[in-house]
Every structure is written in structure tokens, then in C-alpha cells.
């Protein structure tokens, strides 16, 4: 199933899920958010073809597809490899923090559960569309606990400026918002995050955010 409204030059949002009811629900949320072009696919193969052809502004993707298990993880990796700046929101029934962590490592920027109210999907969509990370508090805590290394002490390794940036990452703020908060340049924030990743032995922004959330939880 593929559907696309052709009445706008706006880059479409692509929804990839094999359940028609989920697709309908996502469409309603996106229309409420003012999205005019919505592309839909019901398999990872069709989803990647549409992604490659349409170059959407954002993707909402399930992880599990009938007959192919967690094929959504590989799809996310392929989309991120083809378009590193793509913003991907996972919409899934899986609440296992291991699976959530794998989705973030694959390249998803947000993760929302299907059994939550549509208002949360709307909030997650808006946050990810703005370039911010989205996890609800419970998932964020469980993922952070999963990745906590008791030998790692970020506070002892980071400069005061890096600590300020790390705190704001834990709050889900984008690089641009952090730069505005601290009255520094966008490049200063990205350079600081690169330095923090080296200091803390993490590779990705998602892993750095996990460290930030862990520290925030410890500090109450």
C-alpha cells in the first residue's frame, strides 16, 4: 500500500508499518500537525524504495514486520547510511530497553510506544521533526540504566561548559537550542559534543544522551 497526496512541494513524511489501522492513526496525527504530503508503505522493501525515491523530511517506522522479525532495525541503518541527516521516529509495540537502545544506535532520534495515547505520538513527532531526541521518562531511565557503567564518571572528565551542554542534552534540547541557551555558536556545541564523546568513550549522539540522562537521574 502506497499513498501520497501530490498537492504540495513540501517534502513528504514517510510512514512504514504493516498494520492499516496504525497507518490510519499516523495519518490523522500528521494531518493534525499540518503535514500535507504523507507517503505510506507496508513493508521494509517498499519503504526503502519510497524513501530513496521521495527523500522524505522525516520517517515514522515500526520495527517488526510480519515474517521478517525486527527488520525495521536494518531499514533504519540503511536509511541513515543513505541520508545521515534523516530524522527517524520509531513507533513500536516493543518496550524492552534493549530493543529501544538498538533502535537509537541504528539511527532513530525518537521512540514512542504504540499503546500510548495519540497525543504522545504527536509530541514525539514534533520533537523529532525539530531535531530533538524523544523518549518518555520511563524508557529514558531504563535505557540509561542499561548502559550505565559504574566505572564511568562523566563529572570528573568534563569541563563546566561541557557539563552545561550535557545537562541540556538530557533535557532533549537540540544543538541549536543549546547554543541559544548558552549564547555560544552552533559549532561550539557540536565541537563540545565531539570532545565529550571521545572523553566518555561513546560513538554516537544517542549514546552521549544516554550518559546525560544517567547523570541527570543520579542527580535527582
Amino acid at each position: 500500500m502506497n499513498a501520497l497526496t501530490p498537492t504540495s512541494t513540501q517534502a513528504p513524511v514517510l510512514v512504514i508499518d504493516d498494520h492499516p489501522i496504525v497507518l490510519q492513526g499516523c495519518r490523522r496525527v500528521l494531518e493534525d500537525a499540518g503535514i500535507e504530503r504523507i507517503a505510506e508503505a507496508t513493508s521494509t522493501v517498499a519503504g526503502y524504495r519510497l524513501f530513496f525515491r521521495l527523500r522524505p523530511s522525516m520517517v515514522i517506522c515500526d520495527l517488526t514486520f510480519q515474517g521478517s522479525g525486527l527488520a525495521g532495525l536494518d531499514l533504519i541503518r540503511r536509511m541513515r547510511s543513505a541520508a545521515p541527516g534523516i530524522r527517524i521516529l520509531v513507533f513500536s509495540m516493543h518496550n524492552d530497553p534493549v530493543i529501544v537502545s538498538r533502535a537509537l544506535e541504528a539511527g532513530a532520534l525518537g521512540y514512542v510506544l504504540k499503546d500510548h495515547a495519540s497525543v504522545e505520538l504527536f509530541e514525539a513527532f514534533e520533537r523529532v521533526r525539530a531535531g530533538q531526541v524523544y523518549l518518555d521518562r520511563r524508557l529514558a531511565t531504563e535505557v540509561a540504566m542499561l548502559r550505565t557503567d559504574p566505572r564511568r564518571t562523566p563529572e570528573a572528565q568534563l569541563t563546566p561548559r561541557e557539563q552545561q551542554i550535557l545537562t541540556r542534552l538530557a533535557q532533549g534540547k537540540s544543538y541549536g537550542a543549546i547554543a541559544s541557551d548558552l549564547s555560544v555558536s552552533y559549532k561550539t556545541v557540536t565541537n563540545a559534543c565531539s570532545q565529550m564523546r571521545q572523553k566518555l568513550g561513546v560513538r554516537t549522539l544517542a549514546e552521549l544522551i544516554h550518559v546525560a540522562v544517567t547523570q541527570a537521574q543520579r542527580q535527582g
Side-chain angles (χ1 to χ4, degrees):
M1 172 183 175
N2 297 326
L4 185 62
T5 303
T7 57
S8 172
T9 58
Q10 174 193 57
V13 171
L14 174 59
V15 184
I16 309 171
D17 197 293
D18 59 1
H19 291 84
I21 293 176
V22 173
L23 291 174
Q24 292 172 14
C26 286
R27 177 173 284 276
R28 286 195 296 270
V29 169
L30 294 173
E31 289 172 346
D32 287 344
I35 302 302
E36 298 179 1
R37 297 186 76 203
I38 303 166
E40 298 171 353
T42 58
S43 71
T44 56
V45 173
Y48 188 75
R49 287 174 178 167
L50 272 180
F51 166 79
F52 196 78
R53 177 165 64 88
L54 300 175
R55 296 295 179 173
S57 60
M58 181 172 164
V59 176
I60 299 175
C61 183
D62 195 2
L63 294 181
T64 305
F65 291 82
Q66 188 172 6
S68 56
L70 290 169
L73 290 173
D74 185 58
L75 176 61
I76 290 169
R77 293 187 191 97
R78 292 178 65 196
M79 290 188 294
R80 287 284 294 189
S81 178
I86 188 67
R87 293 168 181 176
I88 302 172
L89 171 64
V90 171
F91 189 39
S92 173
M93 59 179 281
H94 294 289
N95 61 6
D96 184 335
V98 173
I99 294 177
V100 177
S101 180
R102 289 177 65 189
L104 296 175
E105 289 173 353
L109 200 55
Y111 196 109
V112 66
L113 298 174
K114 287 184 176 179
D115 61 359
H116 287 190
S118 59
V119 66
E120 182 166 348
L121 176 58
F122 180 87
E123 179 184 356
F125 171 77
E126 292 289 0
R127 290 275 294 275
V128 172
R129 180 166 65 157
Q132 300 175 14
V133 174
Y134 182 88
L135 287 175
D136 71 32
R137 183 175 294 275
R138 182 183 65 79
L139 277 182
T141 300
E142 290 180 354
V143 170
M145 290 177 64
L146 182 70
R147 291 176 163 272
T148 297
D149 181 348
R151 296 168 297 178
R152 180 180 290 164
T153 55
E155 301 90 340
Q157 302 181 59
L158 304 183
T159 67
R161 174 66 77 198
E162 289 169 343
Q163 278 287 358
Q164 290 175 322
I165 293 172
L166 195 68
T167 297
R168 285 160 175 79
L169 285 175
Q171 297 168 351
K173 293 190 175 183
S174 66
Y175 287 165
I178 294 171
S180 178
D181 280 356
L182 300 179
S183 300
V184 298
S185 69
Y186 185 93
K187 185 175 181 180
T188 295
V189 176
T190 58
N191 286 345
C193 287
S194 177
Q195 289 294 322
M196 284 191 285
R197 288 198 299 270
Q198 292 181 21
K199 289 180 180 180
L200 301 176
V202 300
R203 295 175 300 167
T204 66
L205 174 60
E207 290 175 338
L208 183 59
I209 291 168
H210 294 157
V211 173
V213 172
T214 300
Q215 177 177 307
Q217 292 294 327
R218 285 202 308 267
Q219 293 177 346

